[in-house]
């Protein structure tokens, strides 16, 4: 059971005392979080820690998962992509399936809590099925800078019923949305198996079990196998780096139950990497084990995040916390974390040669990589730990419920 007291000596005692004080006016208040998956992806990881900590400080917080069909999750994945700018044929059938799954789920999900917090588009329409007697908050973890216009108009009809919308970047705020919008950066739990300290022996054991050799420097991207993460582009970067430095690429991917695109992307990467997979120069490693991800991020010389779009990207936050140098795309919430040249490197996602140049530079200059990693860890300590996120949630709940 995660407790706030566990974070003593990671954050100042004053921070913990302030959190306890913020929670006092919320004692016994009943809050429910709703999302579409309990594993895979940053939202589930955040909720796993956040809900326990909310309960520990005196808020009665629960967490429920929307039940949906394969067709529903294929539709909502296309919605996710379209909200980030992809094309979409928004048929009446898709709208009907989306509404029906939410309506069916509402029939056996009783919501009589003091506040309802809905995460991302999948359960957004639940609000239609209840007579509102409490504040509803929509927490959007997606990049909304250029959403598909027709889809946004459709979903906005549900969002209008909410009392507040929370975004991961001010760039995502919508001028055409007459609902209060609030900025809240995601965060990591430094005590989770993915982020806690691990011994050199523990790292070696995890890599050996996963079949990852330690004979060459590792370049790694940790992400879903998703077109927005551009794993094929990472392979192109690696090809250029390998001309300068003998190294190995690890694509450490996870699989979420609400993401049906993973297998398709896996096959595309296989075709792209081709012979390099056969020789072991490129490795596809299933990252559903948090301890394995931890070990790979710590052992890697450089973490790459060549995303085309990002809501925030906790994979970057995780690597920064571990003191590993990061080269990442200047998109979404990543520039909220990385200051180019100080605690990592930022490039435009299409700049393959630029990515290769920075990665090569860091492989050849380990002192620079170490300094970037040191600055990165301190950035996360100050801004992106779960204690700060808990404090933000308590502030929001106090404002909307009291």
């Amino acid at each position: 059971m995660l407790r706030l007291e566990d974070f003593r000596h990671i954050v100042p005692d004053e921070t913990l005392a302030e959190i306890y004080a913020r929670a006092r006016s919320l004692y016994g208040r009943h809050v429910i979080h709703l999302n579409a998956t309990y594993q895979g992806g940053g939202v589930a990881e955040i909720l796993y820690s956040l809900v326990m900590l909310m309960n520990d400080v005196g808020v009665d917080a629960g967490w429920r998962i929307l039940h949906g069909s394969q067709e529903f999750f294929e539709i909502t994945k296309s919605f996710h992509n379209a909200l980030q700018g992809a094309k979409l044929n928004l048929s009446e059938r898709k709208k009907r399936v989306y509404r029906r799954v939410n309506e069916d789920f509402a029939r056996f999900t009783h919501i009589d809590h003091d506040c309802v917090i809905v995460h991302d588009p999948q359960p957004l329409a639940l609000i239609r099925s209840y007579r509102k007697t409490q504040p509803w908050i929509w927490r959007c973890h997606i990049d909304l800078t250029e959403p598909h216009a027709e889809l946004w108009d459709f979903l906005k009809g549900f969002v209008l019923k909410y009392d507040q919308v929370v975004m991961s970047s001010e760039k995502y705020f919508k001028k055409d949305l007459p609902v209060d919008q609030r900025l809240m950066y995601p965060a990591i739990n430094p005590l989770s198996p993915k982020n806690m300290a691990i011994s050199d022996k523990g790292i070696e054991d995890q890599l050996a079990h996963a079949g990852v050799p330690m004979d060459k420097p590792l370049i790694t991207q940790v992400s879903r196998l998703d077109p927005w993460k551009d794993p094929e582009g990472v392979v192109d970067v690696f090809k250029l780096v390998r001309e300068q430095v003998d190294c190995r690429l690890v694509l450490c991917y996870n699989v979420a139950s609400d993401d049906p695109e993973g297998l398709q992307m896996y096959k595309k990467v296989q075709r792209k990497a081709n012979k390099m997979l056969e020789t072991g120069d490129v490795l596809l490693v299933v990252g559903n084990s948090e301890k394995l991800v931890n070990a790979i991020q710590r052992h890697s010389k450089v973490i790459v995040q060549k995303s085309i779009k990002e809501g925030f990207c906790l994979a970057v936050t995780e690597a920064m916390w571990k003191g590993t140098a990061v080269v990442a795309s200047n998109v979404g919430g990543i520039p909220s974390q990385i200051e180019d040249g100080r605690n990592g490197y930022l490039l435009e996602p299409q700049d393959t040669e630029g990515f290769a140049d920075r990665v090569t530079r860091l492989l050849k200059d380990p002192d620079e990589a170490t300094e970037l990693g040191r600055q990165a860890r301190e950035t996360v300590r100050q801004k992106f730990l779960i204690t700060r996120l808990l404090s933000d949630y308590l502030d929001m709940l106090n404002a909307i419920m009291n």
Side-chain angles (χ1 to χ4, degrees):
M1 176 68 182
L2 187 66
R3 298 183 183 278
L4 187 60
E5 65 192 45
D6 298 334
F7 293 88
R8 289 201 66 204
H9 311 302
I10 297 177
V11 300
D13 284 352
E14 291 79 5
T15 299
L16 304 184
E18 289 170 3
I19 291 173
Y20 286 123
R22 283 179 168 89
R24 286 179 191 135
S25 59
L26 297 168
Y27 288 163
R29 305 299 289 272
H30 203 179
V31 175
I32 188 73
H33 292 267
L34 291 134
N35 78 314
T37 181
Y38 64 90
Q39 66 178 8
V43 178
E45 291 178 10
I46 288 172
L47 288 177
Y48 185 81
S49 299
L50 180 65
V51 171
M52 280 196 286
L53 289 174
M54 291 178 77
N55 279 283
D56 182 58
V57 299
V59 181
D60 290 339
W63 177 17
R64 294 184 188 168
I65 307 300
L66 175 71
H67 301 174
S69 63
Q70 178 69 17
E71 181 184 22
F72 171 80
F73 286 122
E74 288 173 357
I75 290 170
T76 54
K77 181 62 179 181
S78 72
F79 283 8
H80 176 109
N81 290 338
L83 286 172
Q84 296 195 147
K87 295 180 180 180
L88 174 69
N89 174 22
L90 185 60
S91 65
E92 289 303 317
R93 173 175 174 75
K94 290 177 182 177
K95 294 179 185 178
R96 189 165 58 250
V97 170
Y98 176 72
R99 285 190 293 253
R100 187 186 69 238
V101 167
N102 275 273
E103 289 166 359
D104 289 349
F105 184 66
R107 290 178 182 272
F108 56 85
T109 302
H110 301 291
I111 294 181
D112 56 0
H113 305 72
D114 297 309
C115 185
V116 182
I117 305 173
V118 172
H119 295 262
D120 280 340
Q122 297 95 329
L124 175 63
L126 272 175
I127 198 168
R128 292 178 71 242
S129 301
Y130 295 93
R131 181 170 177 266
K132 263 176 101 266
T133 58
Q134 72 282 84
W136 283 59
I137 298 168
W138 186 46
R139 177 49 171 114
C140 179
H141 298 268
I142 298 172
D143 182 341
L144 288 182
T145 49
E146 297 176 312
H148 184 280
E150 185 182 3
L151 175 63
W152 173 240
D153 184 69
F154 169 64
L155 294 178
K156 189 167 72 169
F158 308 117
V159 181
L160 290 172
K161 300 176 185 291
Y162 283 76
D163 300 275
Q164 187 156 77
V165 172
V166 181
M167 304 284 194
S168 297
S169 171
E170 288 183 337
K171 294 181 292 185
Y172 307 158
F173 285 16
K174 308 305 294 179
K175 293 181 179 179
D176 65 340
L177 182 62
V179 177
D180 184 46
Q181 298 172 66
R182 189 182 189 101
L183 173 65
M184 190 182 295
Y185 294 130
I188 62 167
N189 175 7
L191 300 177
S192 73
K194 185 184 280 189
N195 297 309
M196 65 192 297
I198 183 172
S199 68
D200 291 343
K201 179 64 163 57
I203 291 173
E204 292 174 10
D205 289 347
Q206 287 292 329
L207 294 181
H209 183 72
V212 179
M214 301 177 66
D215 57 329
K216 299 179 182 181
L218 293 187
I219 305 166
T220 300
Q221 176 159 296
V222 176
S223 68
R224 292 191 190 193
L225 277 179
D226 181 306
W228 298 112
K229 311 298 184 182
D230 194 20
E232 294 173 283
V234 177
V235 174
D236 288 332
V237 169
F238 173 68
K239 289 178 180 178
L240 294 176
V241 173
R242 198 175 56 153
E243 294 175 2
Q244 302 293 321
V245 180
D246 186 18
C247 55
R248 176 173 286 111
L249 173 65
V250 174
L251 292 173
C252 183
Y253 65 94
N254 64 15
V255 178
S257 60
D258 63 340
D259 184 359
E261 284 189 325
L263 180 59
Q264 299 171 26
M265 199 68 233
Y266 183 91
K267 292 178 179 177
K268 287 184 178 180
V269 173
Q270 278 187 316
R271 289 194 293 270
K272 183 75 175 183
N274 200 2
K275 293 183 180 179
M276 292 187 293
L277 283 167
E278 297 177 8
T279 60
D281 292 315
V282 175
L283 298 177
L284 282 166
V285 177
V286 179
N288 284 357
S289 163
E290 292 192 354
K291 290 182 179 180
L292 173 60
V293 173
N294 190 344
I296 289 176
Q297 287 177 324
R298 290 183 185 277
H299 183 70
S300 297
K301 299 301 182 183
V302 182
I303 294 290
V304 174
Q305 193 63 50
K306 196 178 177 297
S307 301
I308 299 167
K309 292 274 190 177
E310 274 294 352
F312 187 75
C313 197
L314 287 174
V316 166
T317 325
E318 294 158 6
M320 292 173 69
W321 176 246
K322 297 170 179 74
T324 304
V326 179
V327 180
S329 295
N330 186 22
V331 298
I334 296 176
S336 300
Q337 305 177 65
I338 294 180
E339 181 182 337
D340 185 45
R342 189 186 73 84
N343 60 0
Y345 281 116
L346 289 175
L347 296 112
E348 297 309 309
Q350 67 273 17
D351 188 4
T352 301
E353 292 185 358
F355 266 87
D357 174 73
R358 298 303 190 281
V359 172
T360 302
R361 173 175 168 171
L362 291 170
L363 290 175
K364 290 182 175 181
D365 188 349
D367 289 340
E368 182 186 10
T370 297
E371 177 58 19
L372 289 180
R374 188 186 69 79
Q375 294 283 357
R377 180 177 171 86
E378 188 56 31
T379 297
V380 176
R381 185 192 305 279
Q382 293 178 11
K383 297 181 178 180
F384 302 116
L385 295 183
I386 194 73
T387 44
R388 191 272 306 154
L389 182 61
L390 172 63
S391 183
D392 286 353
Y393 265 90
L394 295 175
D395 282 344
M396 178 175 65
L397 292 173
N398 272 309
I400 205 167
M401 294 169 61
N402 294 323

